[in-house]
Amino acid sequence: MGTVQKVLGGSTRAPRYETLQALEAVLLPDRQKTPGAVREEAVLYGSKEYRGLHTAVDYYALPEGTHRELIDGQFYEMAEPHGLHQLVCTEIGRFLSEYVRKQGGSCLVFPAPVNVHLDADDRTVVAPDVTVLCDRDKFRRGRICGAPDLVVEVLSPSTAKKDRYLKLWKYTAAGVREYWLVDWQCGRVVVYQLDGAEDGQEIALYGFQDAVPVGIWGGACAVNFAEIEDFIAPLRD
């Protein structure tokens, strides 16, 4: 498990090929999937062995309404989100947007979907649930080219592993400053500070009774998850 966390969490940036083969034997036992797309069971590890051949040209040629992300040339399917998932995303975005407007700041807050060319290339295009971009020069032709400052992913059962491991690794490597994983079903928020820490990463755990500070703004803004929980509680199944 320690090896898995190091490789998928990004602290081991260049794992040995033998290590990747061992992980594949455990985590990629079956590839009976939709042609051209990977479901939740499969995880990319950064090795050329696992990189797909697709590019952004293929991504933008997908039929309208297709929900996929492109990571290192491989398509990943995205399931239709639960309604409460969408409400949580909207409320998080509202807190962030209200702060930016009150401060008159230059940061941009994007709800999903906005296409993020994470590595500033044509091999990876992701669509985070909430994205904060403070360098407006990276916003080109309606897309983000490069690493945003803050990324929030609200977990769904079908994409949780990808968000926890693959995307954590990709966001860390790309230079995203802060990454939130929001589990609305369990009422947990995991915050990764990806810059400034001695070991390159600090992790904090919060509940839906907390106000979670936004690290990229020095904690001057906080998302009140207690308020969000009060809002969605009557709607829970």
Side-chain angles (χ1 to χ4, degrees), residues 42-57:
V43 181
L44 289 175
Y45 304 107
S47 168
K48 293 181 181 178
E49 183 78 7
Y50 302 111
R51 293 187 179 181
L53 301 177
H54 297 290
T55 68
V57 173

Side-chain angles (χ1 to χ4, degrees), residues 67-79:
H67 300 285
R68 292 184 184 175
E69 290 181 307
L70 178 68
I71 301 177
D72 288 335
Q74 176 68 62
F75 281 127
Y76 283 78
E77 294 186 359
M78 301 172 65

